[in-house]
Amino acid sequence: MLVNGKHFKTVWSEGKHVKMIHQNLLPFDFKIHTCHNYVETAYAIRDMIVRGAGAIGCTAALAMAQAFIEHFPDWNQIDNARRFIESMRPTAQNLFYATKFVAENAQNHIDALELAQLICSQDSNASKAIGEYGAELILNNYSVATHCNAGWLAFTDYGTALAPIYEASRQGKKLKVFVDETRPRSQGARLTAWELYNEGIEHYIIADNATAFFMQKGNIDIMIVGADRIAANGDVANKIGTLEKAILARHFGIPFYVAAPKATFDIHCATGKDIPIEFRNQNEVLYATGPNEKNISETILLANPGSPALNPAFDVSPAELISGIITEVGIINADYQSINKLFKNV
Amino acid sequence: MLVNGKHFKTVWSEGKHVKMIHQNLLPFDFKIHTCHNYVETAYAIRDMIVRGAGAIGCTAALAMAQAFIEHFPDWNQIDNARRFIESMRPTAQNLFYATKFVAENAQNHIDALELAQLICSQDSNASKAIGEYGAELILNNYSVATHCNAGWLAFTDYGTALAPIYEASRQGKKLKVFVDETRPRSQGARLTAWELYNEGIEHYIIADNATAFFMQKGNIDIMIVGADRIAANGDVANKIGTLEKAILARHFGIPFYVAAPKATFDIHCATGKDIPIEFRNQNEVLYATGPNEKNISETILLANPGSPALNPAFDVSPAELISGIITEVGIINADYQSINKLFKNV
């Protein structure tokens, strides 16, 4: 996608190095972060310099390729590297898909880099197809709600939840987007709003508390979110708050779609109960960072000094609350049979 | 309640002046704000130096008394003052209850001050009774969730949603509280957490997005919130996000109670559809203010520069989602018949 008129992907390799848009600095600053080895690349995942299901997968694949470049043919070291990379974000299925794909198929370091790049181009192609299928759900003059950021920043290009919005907009449909700010890390207010602003799509940031208000008023026609992991039965792990929105959408009879490539499905995970949920540092809730009026970045305390916070990063929305899953091969039902068929057909 | 060992109410009068805890500075600084005339007192309501249903009502009553002191016997000026005060926060029922009570019953400025002080002591007594009735709902080892701040800061003393928690704790019941941070103004993270911290009650601040996560895990036994206005049919207007929590509680089968004194009921308002909802400035969503690491207050941008926000301050939870309303005369059903009876018995 375009940033100030120049085409960028979220993450890519240059020789031995992995480069990525520094997403922790967005939307206030646009910089490229360079990782010189697999450990630095893994830390970029942990520190959320890169975040989002697909982008984590591509970055993990490229980190795996770096591990091959650094350690091949020492398979012990390569195996250690894989476990290290996989420990960075325990909920993200694309991460495990990517490390497995590279580690189990690469015969050597040249293979590894090619396989990692294949993951990246598959990600980009899948996002484009998701946009085309999903755009059919968005009618002219629709208001679309979304949570967190499942835009192109969360993948390598196009995105998942936002891809149908971009495609519908390109098709000339008039639409507007309600953007949940998505506390505690504000990926909606920061990243989704940044993407939509750059694409010139009408959008409004709302507090996470306000979604039901606008649903109750009939202001939201459809909600589309991304996914970090989808179990074999259609249960969806995604950013904390997704479960709330799925319940609200059901209450108000609003279609609630999940957009995700096949790489996000974990068919070895029977139900959402088997998905580990990452708890992150309480300071993400208690503090916020952003530029002050002099454009100097400041970190401020938001809460009562001394009060603790609990910070689950994801939740699991049960399959029965999901109207359908928009994949790169079409829109499917969120149930065991449909998901099973998706993987049997390959 | 106690602040550093000294007893305070949220708002009180001293001669012609109205004094109040400056709630915009909490929890980082504790200062008393003095209003020298009714216009300053009205602006304190508008600027949320004082906020919360009961505290707004008491402040409005004291502002009305100031108007009498300043303008009696010019009834035209007193009437103008009443309309001015009432225009500050259009959703708050206690405000209208208080201005009406003082303006329509006072024969002179001495009456007016006595009537305003009566409103304040009624508020405090009602809160205490709500605590006693509500405490029966909280069993030993319960986890209680709450939204926004309906603690003593929102009234003159004790509070409504938090009063049962304080009373249950005094009775020796072990309990913990999940505190929604309550974006965009963070009254949960700032005021409710400050109150609970000062009372030594175990509590955890959570992002508004995380309530369903903890409900799904079975970690929340009961949810109690306050109200800004209750319609004759039991529909409840309260802080934005309350509707979301009411829907979630129903989904998970968790009791969802509203705690409010009779002054919060508006029996002339047939249903929630008739309650005007205040939209506040978008900057409340886009910016946050708090102390940096050097304890200097900074205002930072949270969102993408240039993206607009929509900021409804309240929402309406339909009566059918409410398990009951805890009032100063007992716990009643949220329906027309029970509410009608409440006011017929007087």
Side-chain angles (χ1 to χ4, degrees), chain B residues 318-333:
Chain B
E320 62 263 27
L321 296 176
I322 295 160
S323 307
I325 305 175
I326 310 165
T327 77
E328 67 269 46
V329 294
I331 300 172
I332 65 165
N333 290 332

PDB file of all heavy atoms in Angstrom, chain B residues 318-333:
ATOM      1  N   PRO B 318     -31.671  -1.059  28.030  1.00  0.00           N
ATOM      2  CA  PRO B 318     -33.098  -1.352  28.181  1.00  0.00           C
ATOM      3  C   PRO B 318     -33.380  -2.128  29.473  1.00  0.00           C
ATOM      4  O   PRO B 318     -32.565  -2.947  29.914  1.00  0.00           O
ATOM      5  CB  PRO B 318     -33.425  -2.186  26.949  1.00  0.00           C
ATOM      6  CG  PRO B 318     -32.129  -2.668  26.419  1.00  0.00           C
ATOM      7  CD  PRO B 318     -31.074  -1.713  26.867  1.00  0.00           C
ATOM      8  N   ALA B 319     -34.539  -1.852  30.046  1.00  0.00           N
ATOM      9  CA  ALA B 319     -34.914  -2.419  31.346  1.00  0.00           C
ATOM     10  C   ALA B 319     -34.774  -3.935  31.400  1.00  0.00           C
ATOM     11  O   ALA B 319     -34.379  -4.499  32.427  1.00  0.00           O
ATOM     12  CB  ALA B 319     -36.359  -2.009  31.668  1.00  0.00           C
ATOM     13  N   GLU B 320     -35.067  -4.619  30.277  1.00  0.00           N
ATOM     14  CA  GLU B 320     -35.071  -6.089  30.309  1.00  0.00           C
ATOM     15  C   GLU B 320     -33.674  -6.687  30.547  1.00  0.00           C
ATOM     16  O   GLU B 320     -33.552  -7.868  30.836  1.00  0.00           O
ATOM     17  CB  GLU B 320     -35.711  -6.672  29.036  1.00  0.00           C
ATOM     18  CG  GLU B 320     -34.994  -6.339  27.749  1.00  0.00           C
ATOM     19  CD  GLU B 320     -35.628  -5.134  27.041  1.00  0.00           C
ATOM     20  OE1 GLU B 320     -36.239  -4.289  27.731  1.00  0.00           O
ATOM     21  OE2 GLU B 320     -35.507  -5.050  25.807  1.00  0.00           O
ATOM     22  N   LEU B 321     -32.629  -5.865  30.431  1.00  0.00           N
ATOM     23  CA  LEU B 321     -31.279  -6.375  30.690  1.00  0.00           C
ATOM     24  C   LEU B 321     -30.851  -6.182  32.144  1.00  0.00           C
ATOM     25  O   LEU B 321     -29.762  -6.599  32.531  1.00  0.00           O
ATOM     26  CB  LEU B 321     -30.268  -5.679  29.773  1.00  0.00           C
ATOM     27  CG  LEU B 321     -30.424  -5.932  28.269  1.00  0.00           C
ATOM     28  CD1 LEU B 321     -29.409  -5.101  27.491  1.00  0.00           C
ATOM     29  CD2 LEU B 321     -30.248  -7.418  27.941  1.00  0.00           C
ATOM     30  N   ILE B 322     -31.706  -5.554  32.931  1.00  0.00           N
ATOM     31  CA  ILE B 322     -31.322  -5.164  34.290  1.00  0.00           C
ATOM     32  C   ILE B 322     -31.974  -6.086  35.318  1.00  0.00           C
ATOM     33  O   ILE B 322     -33.197  -6.225  35.352  1.00  0.00           O
ATOM     34  CB  ILE B 322     -31.698  -3.685  34.527  1.00  0.00           C
ATOM     35  CG1 ILE B 322     -30.854  -2.820  33.570  1.00  0.00           C
ATOM     36  CG2 ILE B 322     -31.474  -3.271  35.982  1.00  0.00           C
ATOM     37  CD1 ILE B 322     -31.402  -1.454  33.341  1.00  0.00           C
ATOM     38  N   SER B 323     -31.139  -6.722  36.145  1.00  0.00           N
ATOM     39  CA  SER B 323     -31.645  -7.685  37.136  1.00  0.00           C
ATOM     40  C   SER B 323     -32.463  -6.998  38.208  1.00  0.00           C
ATOM     41  O   SER B 323     -33.383  -7.593  38.772  1.00  0.00           O
ATOM     42  CB  SER B 323     -30.482  -8.433  37.777  1.00  0.00           C
ATOM     43  OG  SER B 323     -29.651  -9.006  36.791  1.00  0.00           O
ATOM     44  N   GLY B 324     -32.116  -5.774  38.538  1.00  0.00           N
ATOM     45  CA  GLY B 324     -32.835  -5.041  39.569  1.00  0.00           C
ATOM     46  C   GLY B 324     -32.178  -3.701  39.802  1.00  0.00           C
ATOM     47  O   GLY B 324     -31.051  -3.467  39.367  1.00  0.00           O
ATOM     48  N   ILE B 325     -32.919  -2.811  40.478  1.00  0.00           N
ATOM     49  CA  ILE B 325     -32.375  -1.497  40.807  1.00  0.00           C
ATOM     50  C   ILE B 325     -32.302  -1.384  42.328  1.00  0.00           C
ATOM     51  O   ILE B 325     -33.309  -1.573  43.032  1.00  0.00           O
ATOM     52  CB  ILE B 325     -33.251  -0.372  40.220  1.00  0.00           C
ATOM     53  CG1 ILE B 325     -33.417  -0.563  38.698  1.00  0.00           C
ATOM     54  CG2 ILE B 325     -32.627   1.001  40.513  1.00  0.00           C
ATOM     55  CD1 ILE B 325     -34.372   0.449  38.040  1.00  0.00           C
ATOM     56  N   ILE B 326     -31.107  -1.102  42.817  1.00  0.00           N
ATOM     57  CA  ILE B 326     -30.892  -0.972  44.259  1.00  0.00           C
ATOM     58  C   ILE B 326     -31.152   0.486  44.635  1.00  0.00           C
ATOM     59  O   ILE B 326     -30.402   1.377  44.226  1.00  0.00           O
ATOM     60  CB  ILE B 326     -29.447  -1.364  44.649  1.00  0.00           C
ATOM     61  CG1 ILE B 326     -29.063  -2.728  44.043  1.00  0.00           C
ATOM     62  CG2 ILE B 326     -29.287  -1.375  46.173  1.00  0.00           C
ATOM     63  CD1 ILE B 326     -27.557  -3.015  44.082  1.00  0.00           C
ATOM     64  N   THR B 327     -32.238   0.731  45.362  1.00  0.00           N
ATOM     65  CA  THR B 327     -32.578   2.099  45.772  1.00  0.00           C
ATOM     66  C   THR B 327     -32.442   2.224  47.286  1.00  0.00           C
ATOM     67  O   THR B 327     -32.175   1.231  47.978  1.00  0.00           O
ATOM     68  CB  THR B 327     -34.026   2.467  45.382  1.00  0.00           C
ATOM     69  OG1 THR B 327     -34.920   1.839  46.313  1.00  0.00           O
ATOM     70  CG2 THR B 327     -34.369   2.005  43.969  1.00  0.00           C
ATOM     71  N   GLU B 328     -32.690   3.429  47.785  1.00  0.00           N
ATOM     72  CA  GLU B 328     -32.570   3.657  49.221  1.00  0.00           C
ATOM     73  C   GLU B 328     -33.745   3.075  49.996  1.00  0.00           C
ATOM     74  O   GLU B 328     -33.722   3.061  51.236  1.00  0.00           O
ATOM     75  CB  GLU B 328     -32.411   5.155  49.523  1.00  0.00           C
ATOM     76  CG  GLU B 328     -33.624   6.031  49.210  1.00  0.00           C
ATOM     77  CD  GLU B 328     -33.592   6.603  47.804  1.00  0.00           C
ATOM     78  OE1 GLU B 328     -33.306   5.823  46.853  1.00  0.00           O
ATOM     79  OE2 GLU B 328     -33.876   7.809  47.654  1.00  0.00           O
ATOM     80  N   VAL B 329     -34.777   2.596  49.265  1.00  0.00           N
ATOM     81  CA  VAL B 329     -35.897   1.972  49.982  1.00  0.00           C
ATOM     82  C   VAL B 329     -36.010   0.479  49.672  1.00  0.00           C
ATOM     83  O   VAL B 329     -36.995  -0.166  50.018  1.00  0.00           O
ATOM     84  CB  VAL B 329     -37.239   2.697  49.673  1.00  0.00           C
ATOM     85  CG1 VAL B 329     -37.210   4.115  50.238  1.00  0.00           C
ATOM     86  CG2 VAL B 329     -37.522   2.720  48.173  1.00  0.00           C
ATOM     87  N   GLY B 330     -34.990  -0.079  49.016  1.00  0.00           N
ATOM     88  CA  GLY B 330     -34.991  -1.504  48.719  1.00  0.00           C
ATOM     89  C   GLY B 330     -34.629  -1.785  47.269  1.00  0.00           C
ATOM     90  O   GLY B 330     -34.470  -0.863  46.462  1.00  0.00           O
ATOM     91  N   ILE B 331     -34.507  -3.069  46.953  1.00  0.00           N
ATOM     92  CA  ILE B 331     -34.168  -3.477  45.583  1.00  0.00           C
ATOM     93  C   ILE B 331     -35.467  -3.722  44.825  1.00  0.00           C
ATOM     94  O   ILE B 331     -36.320  -4.497  45.280  1.00  0.00           O
ATOM     95  CB  ILE B 331     -33.293  -4.742  45.597  1.00  0.00           C
ATOM     96  CG1 ILE B 331     -31.993  -4.464  46.377  1.00  0.00           C
ATOM     97  CG2 ILE B 331     -32.991  -5.201  44.168  1.00  0.00           C
ATOM     98  CD1 ILE B 331     -31.137  -5.687  46.627  1.00  0.00           C
ATOM     99  N   ILE B 332     -35.640  -3.050  43.697  1.00  0.00           N
ATOM    100  CA  ILE B 332     -36.889  -3.186  42.943  1.00  0.00           C
ATOM    101  C   ILE B 332     -36.603  -3.719  41.542  1.00  0.00           C
ATOM    102  O   ILE B 332     -35.467  -3.673  41.058  1.00  0.00           O
ATOM    103  CB  ILE B 332     -37.638  -1.833  42.833  1.00  0.00           C
ATOM    104  CG1 ILE B 332     -36.820  -0.826  42.005  1.00  0.00           C
ATOM    105  CG2 ILE B 332     -37.953  -1.268  44.216  1.00  0.00           C
ATOM    106  CD1 ILE B 332     -37.622   0.382  41.558  1.00  0.00           C
ATOM    107  N   ASN B 333     -37.622  -4.232  40.895  1.00  0.00           N
ATOM    108  CA  ASN B 333     -37.493  -4.645  39.502  1.00  0.00           C
ATOM    109  C   ASN B 333     -37.418  -3.418  38.602  1.00  0.00           C
ATOM    110  O   ASN B 333     -38.000  -2.377  38.910  1.00  0.00           O
ATOM    111  CB  ASN B 333     -38.707  -5.484  39.075  1.00  0.00           C
ATOM    112  CG  ASN B 333     -38.708  -6.843  39.746  1.00  0.00           C
ATOM    113  OD1 ASN B 333     -37.657  -7.385  40.086  1.00  0.00           O
ATOM    114  ND2 ASN B 333     -39.905  -7.389  39.945  1.00  0.00           N
TER     115      ASN B 333
END
